Amino acid sequence: MTSSTQLALDIDRIVPASLDQAETALRILDDWADGGSPDIDEGIARLIAATLHDGPDTALHRFAATGVLIADDALRELGDAEVPLEREAWVDALGRFIINGGHRS
């Protein structure tokens, strides 16, 4: 029995789904990067933003979560992003997407 302040959570059922979703998102981004196209659509742009944001009070997080893009703030945050060399293409593609008004280049 759980008290009124406890929740009965099936962690084995919840956590693997979350990890699978993150792994799936990274696989989608890696597949996009391997395709050689510099163009991205909003879905890929939002996945990239989700992997790069620095927390919930950021423009990149807002874009990833809601699709609302505040370009100047997002570009500033993107300019501060530190990524491994193999992920720099993600930053470049998202930057182009933002500069082009949230549309494919």
Side-chain angles (χ1 to χ4, degrees):
M1 181 173 188
T2 60
S3 73
S4 62
T5 59
Q6 291 180 315
L7 295 174
L9 297 176
D10 184 353
I11 297 299
D12 291 332
R13 187 177 60 83
I14 295 169
V15 171
S18 297
L19 295 175
D20 286 347
Q21 290 171 358
E23 187 175 306
T24 299
L26 290 174
R27 193 173 309 118
I28 290 168
L29 291 173
D30 284 339
D31 288 347
W32 162 77
D34 290 342
S37 172
D39 294 337
I40 60 174
D41 60 17
E42 183 177 331
I44 296 293
R46 288 175 69 181
L47 280 176
I48 294 171
T51 66
L52 297 177
H53 73 78
D54 283 334
D57 294 328
T58 63
L60 289 175
H61 178 269
R62 187 175 309 107
F63 174 58
T66 68
V68 174
L69 179 59
I70 301 171
D72 290 341
D73 293 344
L75 285 171
R76 190 171 18 265
E77 292 170 16
L78 198 56
D80 293 338
E82 294 182 17
V83 297
L85 181 61
E86 63 271 11
R87 302 275 163 86
E88 286 183 359
W90 296 12
V91 175
D92 293 343
L94 182 55
R96 280 191 306 278
F97 180 85
I98 294 168
I99 288 168
N100 288 316
H103 305 289
R104 282 185 176 212
S105 33

